[in-house]
Amino acid sequence: MKICAIILSAGKSKRFNSDLPKFIHPISGKQLIDFNIEALEKNKNINQIKIITSKINSKFIESKKKSIFIQSPINGTGGAIKQFYNSNKNFDYYLVLLADTPIFDHKIINNFLSHGIKSKVDISVLSQKVNNPTGYGRVILKNNILFKIVEEADCNFDEKMINLVNTGIFFISKKAIKNVSSLKKNIIKKEFYITDLIDISRKQNLKLNTYVNIKSPILGVNNFKELNYLEKISQELIKSQLISSGVKILQPETVYIETDVQIYKDVIIEPNVVIKKGVKIMSGTTIKSFSYLENCLIGKNCSIGPFARLRPETVLQDEVKLGNFVEIKKSKLANKVKVNHLSYLGDSIVGKNTNIGAGTITCNYDGKHKYQSKIGDNCFVGTNSSIISPVNIGKNSYIAAGSVITKNVPNNYFSISRSKQKNIKNFKK
Ligand code: UD1
Ligand code: MG
């Protein structure tokens, strides 16, 4: 059995009021369309995934290196399917997803697909009950069987009250998809609607059903307000999954955590922390308030912040301690390193047990290039030192406070580089 999945992304995003197509706007750090691409890629029964897009929108998809089909003209969701089907007729089933309606839980797709295959349906619609159905196609049942879908603009008063809505996800047999040739343009919108396939197929006695989603909500995004609402739901999902897995989040409503993070049990996250994608935090670590973490790895039993900033490609081994106003970029800090106050380490490697004093700065950039510095194990770097990269500070070294280190320091040395103090007596203004 051959199954083709398609994601519709050719729309003009008129209601979005943005120069960018809506499907590349992110939710919890992930572009809308990527949720559906990833959900489909996790399903082993799907033989081909195609993104249907317009010429203009295609330049926002190119970098994803996915197979695309250009829709032209842009004549509605039904028009998209019709154009695609006319040059892709050799599949047994077509699974249709919308780029603006992301699926957070890929298992929904697995279940929807297996249910459709098992029950040998011709069209199955993934629907769900919502509190406010405004804007959605209403799913009309008769004797509990799918009868038709009516779009918001075409609904009568009673239909508007229905809160079972179309998520836009369809599973269509090769028998039913042929009906795209009978679609007529909607009189109000002057577009072909995929939803009209139901009415046509019912009249041919094809087997129709609706699969009601009761897992994480599948909501469409047509404007920024809806994007914000969906992000709120996605944040609640991400944090509640972490909390169930043993992460302690204090005042979770103030914490922002993106997708694709790994946080292990017994990590404590204090209020007002931002954790962006690619972050991995091992167990026993505490992230204190107002810290901002991006694409970095934090070992076990570390203490980070408050007000720490960890930038991409930072690796902290176990029991590292970073205090307030400490920024670390693309650096590796070994076990038990301490950087307790007001410091910047960029492109650096710091050995175990080393203490970096308050106000220490690695001067890693000369305006053109970045340079790396190494500070060995068991060093003590005194307060307000400037490390002019590239430089190597050997293990067990001691750098006096206020030093400007421009040359390598051998192992076990004491290094001081500061102007001599002059005490001038009888000084009067
Ligand atoms: C659509 C459904 C509606 C459903 C809702 C779920 C139709 C007619 N309506 O409404 O029943 O409840 O989604 O969110 O299908 N697109 C194309 N080519 C086109 C037009 C649209 O690829 O010619 C794409 C868009 O880029 C978008 C998706 O199809 O990703 C849905 O289009 P949109 O205009 O947002 O439909 P809705 O009004 O939200
Ligand atoms: Mg939409």
Side-chain angles (χ1 to χ4, degrees), residues 15 22 98 100-101 220-222:
R15 286 164 282 180
K22 58 184 164 182
L98 308 181
D100 71 344
T101 311
V221 174
N222 292 320

Side-chain angles (χ1 to χ4, degrees), residues 352-354 375-380 393-399 409-415:
K352 61 179 191 284
N353 300 319
T354 284
I375 304 169
D377 297 347
N378 308 311
C379 289
F380 184 93
I393 297 173
K395 63 183 178 189
N396 308 317
S397 305
Y398 195 107
I399 309 292
V409 178
N411 293 345
N412 309 311
Y413 266 57
F414 173 79
S415 180

Side-chain angles (χ1 to χ4, degrees), residues 8-12 15 22 52 71 74-77 80 98-101 135-137 149 151 165-168 189 191 193-195 219-222:
L8 305 194
S9 70
K12 293 175 186 154
R15 286 164 282 180
K22 58 184 164 182
I52 302 197
Q71 180 188 352
I74 309 307
N75 52 359
T77 49
L98 308 181
D100 71 344
T101 311
Y136 289 94
I149 295 176
E151 289 304 302
V165 300
N166 168 30
T167 63
K189 283 255 186 101
E191 284 182 354
Y193 286 177
I194 183 178
T195 44
L219 302 175
V221 174
N222 292 320

Side-chain angles (χ1 to χ4, degrees), residues 10 45 176 241 306 429:
N45 294 319
Q241 275 163 8
K429 275 192 189 166

Side-chain angles (χ1 to χ4, degrees), residues 231-428:
E231 178 150 73
K232 193 166 166 263
I233 290 177
S234 132
Q235 280 298 301
E236 279 163 10
L237 277 170
I238 291 171
K239 286 180 281 187
S240 75
Q241 275 163 8
L242 288 169
I243 291 166
S244 319
S245 71
V247 176
K248 185 171 181 183
I249 306 183
L250 311 180
Q251 287 195 22
E253 64 283 2
T254 68
V255 171
Y256 175 82
I257 304 180
E258 290 192 343
T259 57
D260 304 327
V261 299
Q262 289 178 66
I263 305 178
Y264 289 85
K265 65 179 178 193
D266 297 319
V267 165
I268 300 172
I269 299 169
E270 291 188 353
N272 295 299
V273 163
V274 173
I275 300 179
K276 304 204 88 178
K277 66 178 167 197
V279 171
K280 185 171 177 182
I281 309 173
M282 307 305 284
S283 60
T285 284
T286 298
I287 312 292
K288 295 186 177 168
S289 291
F290 301 102
S291 294
Y292 190 100
L293 320 179
E294 291 169 275
N295 191 24
C296 59
L297 169 61
I298 304 172
K300 287 184 195 156
N301 303 319
C302 294
S303 174
I304 309 297
F307 295 97
R309 180 173 180 206
L310 296 194
R311 291 173 53 198
E313 295 182 59
T314 289
V315 176
L316 309 182
Q317 288 186 345
D318 299 342
E319 294 177 59
V320 168
K321 199 162 175 289
L322 305 183
N324 38 232
F325 308 109
V326 168
E327 175 181 346
I328 315 281
K329 188 220 90 176
K330 204 178 179 181
S331 294
K332 192 172 170 195
L333 277 54
N335 291 343
K336 295 190 178 182
V337 166
K338 283 190 211 149
V339 192
N340 274 331
H341 332 266
L342 300 151
S343 290
Y344 170 63
L345 301 180
D347 306 300
S348 308
I349 295 178
V350 183
K352 61 179 191 284
N353 300 319
T354 284
N355 184 88
I356 306 286
T360 297
I361 305 287
T362 51
C363 310
N364 59 327
Y365 184 50
D366 62 5
K368 276 191 184 145
H369 303 287
K370 303 273 166 69
Y371 301 94
Q372 193 184 61
S373 276
K374 286 185 187 158
I375 304 169
D377 297 347
N378 308 311
C379 289
F380 184 93
V381 177
T383 297
N384 202 28
S385 298
S386 300
I387 317 277
I388 314 291
S389 300
V391 86
N392 279 346
I393 297 173
K395 63 183 178 189
N396 308 317
S397 305
Y398 195 107
I399 309 292
S403 292
V404 177
I405 301 297
T406 54
K407 290 188 233 148
N408 290 347
V409 178
N411 293 345
N412 309 311
Y413 266 57
F414 173 79
S415 180
I416 180 162
S417 137
R418 64 165 97 115
S419 49
K420 271 201 170 157
Q421 180 174 339
K422 284 182 197 159
N423 290 343
I424 299 161
K425 68 179 174 189
N426 298 329
F427 175 72
K428 284 192 190 112

